[in-house]
Amino acid sequence: MEKYKKYARTSLALAIMSIITPSVSANHLLQNEQGYEEIVPELRAFSELAQQVRYFYPSNAVANSDWDSFLRDSFKVLRDTPSEQRVDKGIELIQAIAPYVQRM
């Protein structure tokens, strides 16, 4: 029984990290940048997806990625992408590290 309690606590901690970390990452990485104000909600959604991949996608490429650099570089690419193509571009960027992530 104790084993299951430990598993439940770990799962809860991971779930909380995946909820809290994206907004912290997005805000921290954007605080000194210009031109992002109008797309912050989209970047926050991208950051949430990236954090879920970071913590739950089972691959060495994901585990060995520099996530701060990935997010910073991805934000710059997404900023320069037209709004109607931004979701597809975000999925494409994630697929470079996690190829089985698909848009539903």
Side-chain angles (χ1 to χ4, degrees), residues 23-35:
S23 61
V24 172
S25 295
N27 290 338
H28 171 69
L29 292 172
L30 295 176
Q31 79 186 96
N32 294 323
E33 299 288 338
Q34 298 296 319

Side-chain angles (χ1 to χ4, degrees), residues 9-24:
R9 283 192 304 266
T10 302
S11 296
L12 179 60
L14 287 173
I16 291 170
M17 273 195 306
S18 71
I19 293 168
I20 295 171
T21 305
S23 61
V24 172

Side-chain angles (χ1 to χ4, degrees), residues 85-96:
Q85 298 171 1
R86 207 168 280 136
V87 171
D88 291 330
K89 187 63 172 179
I91 297 294
E92 180 184 319
L93 292 167
I94 292 287
Q95 286 175 336

